[in-house]
Amino acid sequence: SNYRANESEQTMTNKDMAKRRMHKVEGETFCFEQHITLGVRRNATSTIQVFFRIIQNVLYIAYIGEHLDVSST
């Protein structure tokens, strides 16, 4: 497993990639960059990512699924 506090600047400056990390929480849009990757990044059948954010002491999970695209892929 692998924890990342944020995404690379190249990933976040890519409009489509950044959009995949934007999620609404109670009507307000937040960027979810913190994530854990379980498995091998380039193997969709055995890898998942979990993107999350703590907002006002509440843990929100915005995405669980295949590895999202990043600037290096």
Side-chain angles (χ1 to χ4, degrees), residues 16-72:
D16 292 330
M17 291 179 192
K19 186 176 180 180
R20 298 273 328 259
R21 290 148 175 87
M22 303 301 289
H23 300 274
K24 286 192 176 189
V25 174
E26 297 182 14
E28 189 173 346
T29 302
F30 292 90
C31 182
F32 283 71
E33 291 186 68
Q34 290 183 322
H35 63 280
I36 297 171
T37 302
L38 304 169
V40 180
R41 177 168 61 163
R42 301 200 196 300
N43 186 339
T45 60
S46 63
T47 303
I48 64 167
Q49 282 193 309
V50 179
F51 279 78
F52 61 93
R53 184 170 174 154
I54 297 171
I55 303 168
Q56 297 180 354
N57 294 323
V58 176
L59 174 65
Y60 291 92
I61 297 175
Y63 175 84
I64 300 174
E66 291 183 15
H67 195 288
L68 294 180
D69 289 337
V70 293
S71 62
S72 62

